[in-house]
Amino acid sequence: SPDLEIQIFFFPRMAANSLPCQRDKVLTLESMNPCVKRVEYAVRGPIVTRAVQLEKELQQGVKKPFSEVIRVNVGDAQAMGQKPITFFRQVSALCMYPDLLKDPNFPEDAKEKARRLLAACGGDSIGAYSASPGIDLIRQDVARFIERRDGGIPCNPENIFLSTGATSAIVTILKLLVSGEGRSRTGVLIPIPQYPLYSAALAELNAVQVNYYLDEEKSWALDVGELRRALRQAQEHCRPKVLCIINPGNPTGQVQSRKCIEDVIHFAWEEHLFLMADEVYQNNVYAEDSQFHSFKKVLFEMGPKYSDNVELASFHSISKGFVGECGFRGGYMELVNMDPAVQQQLIKLISVSMYPPVTGQVMLDVVVNQPQPGDPSYQLFSQEKQAILSTLAKKAHLTEQTFNNTPGMHCNPVQGAMYAFPRMQLPPRAVQEAKAQGQAPDMFFCLRLLEETGICVVPGSGFGQKEGTFHFRMTILPPMEKLEVVLQKVSQFHAKFTQEYSQPQNHDEAIRTSEKAGQ
């Protein structure tokens, strides 16, 4: 065709040694930050990756011995079916789309709160930047909430810093605290079992993790004698200067008594330690003989000797409690007795990451500034809140009771938070098989549980546990009818697993296990 023009290009032949080649990567496993490689986060680790794969296989029609994967590995209330609190979502919706303020279907107290929050935002819009520590009005509301919670003990809004959930605040404080090299490296005391955020953050920051063990035989009690043992042992190779407390406990569900908190504060004062109090489950207390006491309140009630000297950072979040708004990523920390010069450094540090999402800040405000008696929304709000908390209390009791009625399992009372951490007996042959496959024994159990029942829990080895003991963590959040099914399946599987590995091993199996162990 005359319209078709063909152009042929000839290139000189290139010598073999001048062929284009791909250069080595700048960033490789060998060259990357070694601290990052040491980070592990069991809650979203390999077992969860396998759960996701199984979900995809089910969607593709692959036959499994179960019809769905039930993830009870994480405390995600709304993913488990918990309904949002109506008032919280109404205020959030009004702030997101202010034209709804004209809608007569929204209660007047929700509109009033939304107008107040919008007026505190740049341009009356939550789409505007906020100050790095958070919107001033919301910091003031958080301070008033803490004062009400703690019986009138003063709280300065300048010591309140809003955060992306509690996680970002915890990591930020650790960044300020960690320093030194060799024997001067910062040591951080954390409870075992612990929430893996702490071990992961310490690994990334190249700090020294100092384990103190909670007493399982005493319902996961914290013993100051154990704190002192851990501290003295750590002083031989690092400089311990931080003590982390999780109350109510995650994954262990214990609620610390006031006497225990007083003892911990005295210990921190005596040993000159910075206290970090993770109190995100403060609304989740179920045991009739348990009560939440904030470290800030107890500290000030112990008198000026302590309240003028002990440095404390406490943390709270909208992800837990009866709220369960994990996706909004809202939280705060309060600082007590921090050096003013260091607090200025903190402001500089959080400025680098700008500020927490304004949507999360707004949700935090309505959580700390709830409807009061006489408000149009109070009755519905109160009903929804009590329904969630009373149901959680029933689930906590059911979970404890079911596991304690299962031969070979034991579960301490779930006094608070939203998890059970039962101990299980595993036959020696199962332990041997796990080690032959390069797995922790409880990981081996949990993977088998997932593959055969579709239930996803987290092995206790991901949280830390005493040598020779085996646990797993599961949340109590699923709807009651689904939780009953989960508990029944876990109990039945444990019985089946125990029977399977308690039978005598035949000759061929023994050879295979021996070969795996030798690889």
Side-chain angles (χ1 to χ4, degrees), residues 42-58 63-73 424 439 441-459 472-473 486 489-494 496-497:
V43 175
R44 297 179 184 270
I47 200 161
V48 181
T49 302
R50 179 57 184 151
V52 172
Q53 291 172 344
L54 287 171
E55 286 174 333
K56 291 178 180 177
E57 290 174 15
L58 284 171
K63 296 298 181 185
K64 300 288 179 185
F66 47 86
S67 58
E68 66 172 328
V69 173
I70 303 176
R71 296 204 219 175
V72 286
N73 61 295
M424 55 184 172
Q439 295 176 355
D442 49 10
M443 171 65 87
F444 179 67
F445 173 87
C446 292
L447 281 171
R448 281 281 305 273
L449 175 70
L450 175 62
E451 295 288 348
E452 297 186 28
T453 69
I455 295 171
C456 179
V457 298
V458 189
F472 62 85
R473 188 193 81 164
V486 168
K489 285 189 173 183
V490 171
S491 297
Q492 290 173 347
F493 176 79
H494 181 264
K496 173 179 172 289
F497 183 90

Side-chain angles (χ1 to χ4, degrees), residues 289-362:
D289 57 347
S290 296
Q291 181 181 351
F292 171 75
H293 302 277
S294 79
F295 267 76
K296 160 84 176 292
K297 183 174 189 288
V298 176
L299 174 66
F300 276 77
E301 289 177 347
M302 288 175 70
K305 172 182 174 180
Y306 300 97
S307 62
D308 289 348
N309 292 289
V310 174
E311 296 157 82
L312 169 69
S314 57
F315 309 91
H316 196 18
S317 165
I318 62 173
S319 298
K320 309 303 177 184
F322 65 94
V323 183
E325 293 286 6
C326 306
F328 275 83
R329 308 307 302 136
Y332 72 79
M333 63 178 165
E334 182 189 14
L335 305 177
V336 176
N337 292 323
M338 179 172 274
D339 185 315
V342 175
Q343 196 150 322
Q344 287 302 310
Q345 293 295 314
L346 169 64
I347 293 170
K348 177 184 72 175
L349 181 60
I350 63 175
S351 297
V352 175
S353 54
M354 297 294 286
Y355 55 89
V358 176
T359 49
Q361 295 186 50
V362 164

